[in-house]
Amino acid sequence: MATLRTSPPPPRAVELRRWMLRRPEDLRVLRASLHETLTGDDLVDGARLDEVPELVVLVATELATNALRHGLPPTIVTLSASERLFYLDVADHDLSTVPELADFQPIGSGGRGLQIALALSLDVGWYATDTAKHIWASFDR
């Protein structure tokens, strides 16, 4: 397995919203709330999102799922914005591991969250603080 490149935190941006997740059931609330933060509209079950909100919600779900499955709680998801970009930051509290890019995985076996983030966002990186490991992704506004 390859490791994700280390990077500094994303550039300073205005925090729009922060979510604290403790269990997989919190992902549904994250998706709906993140969509509302991005668009100002409620997410109706089965509705299709516009392109950028759809990408942000998908990447947030994938990275938060990884953090819940492989990290130490709580998982903290933060959405920030600059004039031209959205920044998604997902943090967990397991400092003993580094994010790894899964090599080939059989379909349905999972393990593609970072690959999805790399494919759908403008940029992805990770960094650690004294208390948490952060993975971030950026998106056009």
Side-chain angles (χ1 to χ4, degrees), residues 40-121:
D41 297 323
D42 289 338
L43 178 60
V44 179
D45 281 343
R48 181 159 167 75
L49 301 174
D50 292 330
E51 184 178 356
V52 170
E54 183 173 352
L55 297 178
V56 175
V57 170
L58 177 58
V59 171
T61 301
E62 291 292 331
L63 294 179
T65 298
N66 284 354
L68 287 167
R69 184 173 292 147
H70 304 293
L72 294 174
T75 295
I76 300 168
V77 179
T78 307
L79 178 68
S80 301
S82 67
E83 187 174 306
R84 64 179 230 18
L85 297 175
F86 286 118
Y87 296 99
L88 180 68
D89 184 290
V90 178
D92 73 70
H93 296 84
D94 180 6
L95 295 171
S96 68
T97 62
V98 298
E100 292 184 336
L101 297 166
D103 293 330
F104 174 77
Q105 298 280 341
I107 293 175
S109 66
R112 290 189 183 83
L114 287 173
Q115 297 287 2
I116 290 169
L118 285 165
L120 300 180
S121 62

